[in-house]
Amino acid sequence: MSEFETDLFVIGAGSGGVRAARIASGYGAKVMIAEEFRIGGTCVIRGCVPKKLYVYASRFADDFADAQGFGWRFTHRPEFDWPKLVAAKEGEISRLSRIYEANLLKSSVDIFQERAEILGPHEVRLMQSGRVVAARHILVATGASPQMLPTIPGVEHAISSNEIFDLPKFPRRLAVVGGGYIAVEFASIFARLGAHVTLLFRADNVLRGFDETLRDGLRDALAEAEVDQRFGVLPTEIVKTDDGFDLGLTDHSRLHVDQVLIATGRAPHTKGLGLEKAGVEMDDIGAIKVDARNTTNVPSIHAVGDVTNRVNLTPVAIREGHFFADRMFGGADKEVDYDFIPSAVFTTPEIGTVGLTEAEARKSRDCVDIYQTSFRPMKTTIAGGNEKVIMKLVVCGESDQVLGVHILGESAGEMAQLLAISLRLGATKADFDATMALHPSAAEELVTLRNRTARHTRDEE
Ligand code: NDP
């Protein structure tokens, strides 16, 4: 009889952990999984999925306004019912969580709805029952949790993206701290749902790391949506009052709001997991260090997804979990390819991006060509409004290969997903030009960008 009770013990039933468990089990491995919160993880329960549902809810505000230009007349002003949205969201994520659970059970994975901690290279303790399991392999897939920065007096009054979805009352005045993905998405959502949103962040523009042209475009679009962006301004204190919160700010002004959302990044969820005891190496922010095959310095302990703090996106965690199981239990010899990962920021208008930004390309290539356009979407010709679509191709001036595509506009995320295929295949600007346009669409602009906007060569620098 084996000295181990299970071949694989997965800690964390989110996107990466569930995929690894199901695939490993499919190869005949005995698999156990533990989850201390709700099955489905951040993406399903309090991340991508509910966020996208709220994005849909928020965009009706634009649709109602646009509809009037197209001849629709409303006899009553549409009203928004926050508790109804929260309840509808809850129904959907509960349904998804049940599907995740059912799929695990169908795959014969043993589920433990409790916290698990590592005792050693092959031992895990279930914290509620006290049961100790001997596992041949342990996979840590615990994700990340919001970090509440800056650490200021009263920060305990603020909420994170974990709580914002379920607020009992709609915040009429909302302060959002941070200028990254989560901050701009919620600023965009809540402004459209009718809140007065103030965005406080330390940088001079939103979305550090994104292509500069898109950053400027999104900043303007947020301003158009009446988000009050305070560049280089952060809170210094949060004081609870009878009717909300009073914020002191670094520019010495004060701000009164109903809620303060902090969105200043997420930290790997490794505290108290027993990793130190097992000798697992972590970096200075607590991310688990793994090799290209997701294995730590302890050969029986592995990690996938945000807990490794590399590319913190759901599809990456899923792919890592899948390939890990293929290698470990299916005899496969393959590694995840991290090139040309598309990503979206679900503001309105949204951002879709894949490949190198202009600045990144200029650092790594001798000659970079830029093809850029900006135009008003067709709908605005009748609906009105100042919305702008921005599209940028970053092209290698020597090989003609398209290195990156960056889009701000409706369905930019959908476009980025498909563009990622072409870019992975090494498509050149000439391939884009040779592709027939689909008319009338916004995406046709990507294959009809005739004039180079700029050429950057190393000699210039
Ligand atoms: P981001 O890393 O995107 O942004 C963090 C923000 O917090 C930045 O504006 C950063 O400022 C600021 N910040 C960091 N530390 C401090 C500090 N000490 N004081 C003040 N400000 C600070 O993190 P998010 O929380 O927005 O999102 C976390 C992760 O979740 C993302 O990295 C992404 O991978 C994932 N995500 C993906 C989404 C998608 O794909 N659509 C949606 C939501 C999240 P600065 O820019 O100056 O460093």
Side-chain angles (χ1 to χ4, degrees):
M1 211 182 101
S2 163
E3 59 187 299
F4 300 112
E5 251 180 278
T6 188
D7 296 312
L8 178 66
F9 195 105
V10 182
I11 306 181
S15 303
V18 166
R19 177 59 66 96
R22 291 181 55 203
I23 300 300
S25 189
Y27 288 121
K30 167 124 187 70
V31 183
M32 297 177 173
I33 193 165
E35 170 58 55
E36 64 179 335
F37 185 55
R38 292 174 71 180
I39 291 176
T42 299
C43 173
V44 171
I45 307 296
R46 47 195 183 186
C48 327
V49 172
K51 183 269 308 288
K52 189 81 187 275
L53 295 175
Y54 284 23
V55 168
Y56 286 128
S58 74
R59 287 181 180 170
F60 284 103
D62 306 79
D63 294 341
F64 292 138
D66 291 350
Q68 296 173 52
F70 286 90
W72 288 93
R73 222 176 323 110
F74 297 103
T75 45
H76 298 290
R77 205 167 151 261
E79 278 175 20
F80 173 61
D81 184 340
W82 169 256
K84 183 155 187 190
L85 174 64
V86 174
K89 178 273 302 175
E90 184 51 41
E92 174 57 9
I93 65 165
S94 297
R95 186 184 74 85
L96 291 173
S97 183
R98 283 194 298 274
I99 290 175
Y100 267 61
E101 185 175 358
N103 285 342
L104 282 168
L105 293 172
K106 246 190 266 163
S107 306
S108 309
V109 174
D110 289 341
I111 304 172
F112 299 97
Q113 290 253 293
E114 58 183 299
R115 183 174 171 82
E117 291 180 9
I118 296 171
L119 295 178
H122 292 285
E123 262 187 352
V124 174
R125 184 198 295 277
L126 290 158
M127 300 312 288
Q128 217 169 294
S129 62
R131 176 172 166 189
V132 174
V133 177
R136 187 184 303 277
H137 293 281
I138 297 168
L139 179 69
V140 185
T142 47
S145 9
Q147 49 183 9
M148 303 299 274
L149 296 171
T151 320
I152 50 169
V155 72
E156 67 278 7
H157 299 309
I159 56 168
S160 72
S161 55
N162 285 351
E163 292 81 35
I164 187 104
F165 292 111
D166 295 305
L167 288 176
K169 204 166 156 223
F170 183 77
R172 290 265 147 227
R173 298 158 300 179
L174 176 68
V176 181
V177 184
Y181 276 89
I182 295 180
V184 295
E185 287 181 341
F186 281 111
S188 175
I189 290 169
F190 277 87
R192 285 182 165 71
L193 294 180
H196 182 270
V197 180
T198 308
L199 192 57
L200 304 164
F201 53 100
R202 63 184 179 185
D204 59 3
N205 205 350
V206 291
L207 288 183
R208 192 194 296 278
F210 279 73
D211 192 273
E212 293 298 326
T213 310
L214 261 56
R215 294 179 75 192
D216 291 346
L218 182 63
R219 176 200 58 206
D220 296 347
L222 288 171
E224 192 66 34
E226 295 180 13
V227 173
D228 178 4
Q229 299 168 83
R230 309 270 183 97
F231 309 93
V233 177
L234 285 175
T236 51
E237 62 168 357
I238 303 172
V239 180
K240 193 170 175 5
T241 65
D242 289 345
D243 68 336
F245 302 97
D246 193 42
L247 275 62
L249 305 180
T250 48
D251 64 1
H252 307 295
S253 64
R254 297 199 79 82
L255 178 68
H256 195 74
V257 292
D258 301 317
Q259 287 289 349
V260 185
L261 168 69
I262 295 198
T264 48
R266 297 171 61 84
H269 195 167
T270 48
K271 247 197 214 122
L273 268 185
L275 291 157
E276 295 87 351
K277 260 187 281 169
V280 174
E281 277 179 19
M282 287 177 275
D283 69 11
D284 47 11
I285 65 155
I288 299 178
K289 289 190 191 173
V290 288
D291 61 17
R293 316 199 121 215
N294 295 91
T295 298
T296 70
N297 59 310
V298 179
S300 57
I301 301 183
H302 320 269
V304 295
D306 289 9
V307 78
T308 64
N309 193 32
R310 294 175 304 169
V311 184
N312 298 332
L313 295 171
T314 298
V316 175
I318 292 174
R319 182 67 57 88
E320 288 177 352
H322 196 128
F323 279 24
F324 163 78
D326 282 345
R327 284 190 303 262
M328 195 56 72
F329 302 101
D333 182 25
K334 54 185 183 184
E335 288 174 5
V336 176
D337 178 357
Y338 295 93
D339 283 340
F340 297 113
I341 298 172
S343 77
V345 183
F346 288 105
T347 44
T348 303
E350 68 191 37
I351 282 180
T353 175
V354 56
L356 300 183
T357 64
E358 181 173 343
E360 286 166 344
R362 289 178 69 178
K363 272 191 213 139
S364 60
R365 299 294 199 285
D366 289 333
C367 180
V368 175
D369 290 337
I370 302 299
Y371 295 83
Q372 190 178 316
T373 183
S374 167
F375 55 93
R376 291 178 69 211
M378 190 178 185
K379 195 164 70 173
T380 60
T381 54
I382 286 188
N386 294 321
E387 188 183 329
K388 260 206 278 179
V389 178
I390 298 175
M391 291 178 173
K392 181 192 267 192
L393 298 191
V394 179
V395 179
C396 175
E398 283 159 337
S399 67
D400 200 38
Q401 188 188 348
V402 180
L403 305 170
V405 185
H406 307 278
I407 304 166
L408 175 81
E410 193 178 331
S411 303
E414 306 287 339
M415 289 186 231
Q417 175 65 86
L418 299 178
L419 285 161
I421 304 171
S422 325
L423 265 60
R424 271 183 56 79
L425 291 172
T428 59
K429 174 68 168 62
D431 292 323
F432 274 58
D433 295 342
T435 302
M436 200 65 81
L438 186 154
H439 185 69
S441 68
E444 69 181 306
E445 298 290 329
L446 292 165
V447 297
T448 54
L449 279 168
R450 228 192 284 246
N451 298 323
R452 191 168 66 203
T453 323
R455 163 165 281 189
H456 306 291
T457 56
R458 280 221 199 268
D459 308 340
E460 294 169 7
E461 285 147 26

